[in-house]
């Protein structure tokens, strides 16, 4: 299941990040978004979703949310 399909309010474990872009991988890693880390979907908005990773909240667009496998 991808992050875009996740139910708001539930906590998930990131299984993998499916992207070939090394810069994007580095950016996600700097946010704490990597395999084995827990992520909580706070809400879904039009074209994006709000997630909580560690102590931060981030707005992730749907294209990026589809690359995060939970």
């Amino acid at each position: 299941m991808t992050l875009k399909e996740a139910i708001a309010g539930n906590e998930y474990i990131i299984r993998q990040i499916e992207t070939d872009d090394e810069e994007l991988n580095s950016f996600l890693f700097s946010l704490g978004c990597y395999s084995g880390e827990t992520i909580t979907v706070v809400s879904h908005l039009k074209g994006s979703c709000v997630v909580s990773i560690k102590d931060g909240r981030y707005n992730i667009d749907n294209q990026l949310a589809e690359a995060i496998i939970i």
Side-chain angles (χ1 to χ4, degrees):
M1 169 180 359
T2 66
L3 193 62
K4 183 179 176 184
E5 301 163 340
I7 299 169
N10 289 354
E11 187 174 277
Y12 298 93
I13 296 174
I14 299 171
R15 299 289 176 216
Q16 67 183 28
I17 308 294
E18 288 187 348
T19 181
D20 295 330
D21 188 353
E22 284 301 319
E23 190 174 317
L24 183 57
N25 275 336
S26 296
F27 172 70
L28 289 172
F29 188 81
S30 72
L31 298 179
C33 185
Y34 48 84
S35 296
E37 186 62 43
T38 58
I39 187 169
T40 304
V41 178
V42 177
S43 66
H44 288 282
L45 306 172
K46 289 184 180 179
S48 65
C49 61
V50 179
V51 297
S52 176
I53 306 169
K54 297 191 178 195
D55 293 332
R57 282 191 176 193
Y58 306 100
N59 188 19
I60 296 178
D61 70 353
N62 282 339
Q63 184 178 10
L64 183 55
E66 289 177 352
I68 300 172
I69 308 300
I70 52 174

